[in-house]
Amino acid sequence: EYLNSKGHRLFILYENIPSNKKFIRDAEAFGSKFIPPITERRKTAINQVGPISKFIKHWSYFFDLKKIRYLNKIIKSLKIDIAHCYFSPSIYTLFSSEYNNIPCIRTIGNPLIESSKYLGKNINGLFFIIIYLVFALQFLFLDKIVCLSDSINREFQYLKFNKKKLITINSGVDTKEY
């Protein structure tokens, strides 16, 4: 509503279709346009085998050439001037935005270290190496990382990522309604 009142256009491209129909209706009522997602990637052996596969899978998200080409066409045809990604599978957005010379922002909604502790993962040297390998490339290309809590921001600062790229905001989503 705010963006619409300022004369902006909002286009939403989901990796999957949102299940909340009210969210879709409300967003469209305020001028948002939903763009059909490209078909999901086929599952491969990389996505299903052992702990190394998790690391490889995260890196494969960066280089999904089919989705990068699709997003490049959307950015050009709709004259998009800023890109935003949320979940890891959409991180290929950073290459499309770089190619099209537009800013790219990523929102991160879960703490890395605390949530891993909660899930019973070993927080050891290998854990931190994987975190650095998965997020280092993002910090090079992303213009901003939006942290949905102070604890997420503190974790990235603890990990010595560029704090000038970090901002913290409240999600702004009415969780009672959505």
Side-chain angles (χ1 to χ4, degrees):
E1 182 178 13
Y2 175 79
L3 292 171
N4 195 28
S5 73
K6 299 293 183 186
H8 299 286
R9 297 176 305 149
L10 178 64
F11 299 97
I12 301 172
L13 173 63
Y14 267 91
E15 290 289 321
N16 54 19
I17 303 300
S19 60
N20 189 312
K21 301 299 182 211
K22 182 173 178 10
F23 169 77
I24 294 171
R25 281 192 310 272
D26 288 352
E28 288 177 332
F30 288 115
S32 299
K33 179 178 177 175
F34 283 83
I35 300 167
I38 196 165
T39 55
E40 286 298 313
R41 295 164 39 152
R42 288 178 285 131
K43 296 221 182 247
T44 65
I46 283 176
N47 292 345
Q48 300 177 18
V49 181
I52 300 296
S53 68
K54 288 185 179 183
F55 169 71
I56 293 170
K57 179 175 73 172
H58 282 290
W59 274 84
S60 72
Y61 294 146
F62 287 98
F63 306 106
D64 191 330
L65 297 178
K66 188 175 182 182
K67 289 183 179 180
I68 291 170
R69 283 195 305 271
Y70 180 64
L71 187 55
N72 284 345
K73 285 172 40 178
I74 291 169
I75 289 170
K76 286 179 183 174
S77 67
L78 297 175
K79 298 180 177 131
I80 304 292
D81 57 6
I82 189 168
H84 173 266
C85 53
Y86 188 84
F87 296 108
S88 292
S90 65
I91 198 61
Y92 61 86
T93 304
L94 66 90
F95 288 124
S96 286
S97 62
E98 188 72 19
Y99 176 79
N100 288 284
N101 198 30
I102 62 172
C104 188
I105 298 166
R106 177 165 183 207
T107 298
I108 300 188
N110 294 314
L112 305 170
I113 300 169
E114 285 304 314
S115 61
S116 295
K117 285 180 185 175
Y118 178 77
L119 294 171
K121 295 183 180 179
N122 289 331
I123 309 301
N124 55 23
L126 180 61
F127 172 84
F128 287 108
I129 289 170
I130 290 171
I131 292 294
Y132 279 106
L133 291 173
V134 168
F135 283 96
L137 186 61
Q138 294 180 42
F139 269 86
L140 287 174
F141 286 94
L142 291 171
D143 295 279
K144 289 286 182 189
I145 304 255
V146 177
C147 304
L148 294 185
S149 72
D150 288 328
S151 64
I152 296 168
N153 191 311
R154 281 191 304 272
E155 283 189 0
F156 278 117
Q157 288 185 48
Y158 171 78
L159 295 167
K160 304 292 187 222
F161 284 109
N162 184 350
K163 63 181 170 184
K164 291 181 182 175
K165 289 190 175 190
L166 297 168
I167 59 171
T168 301
I169 63 168
N170 293 321
S171 69
V173 175
D174 183 348
T175 56
K176 290 179 182 154
E177 188 169 352
Y178 300 108

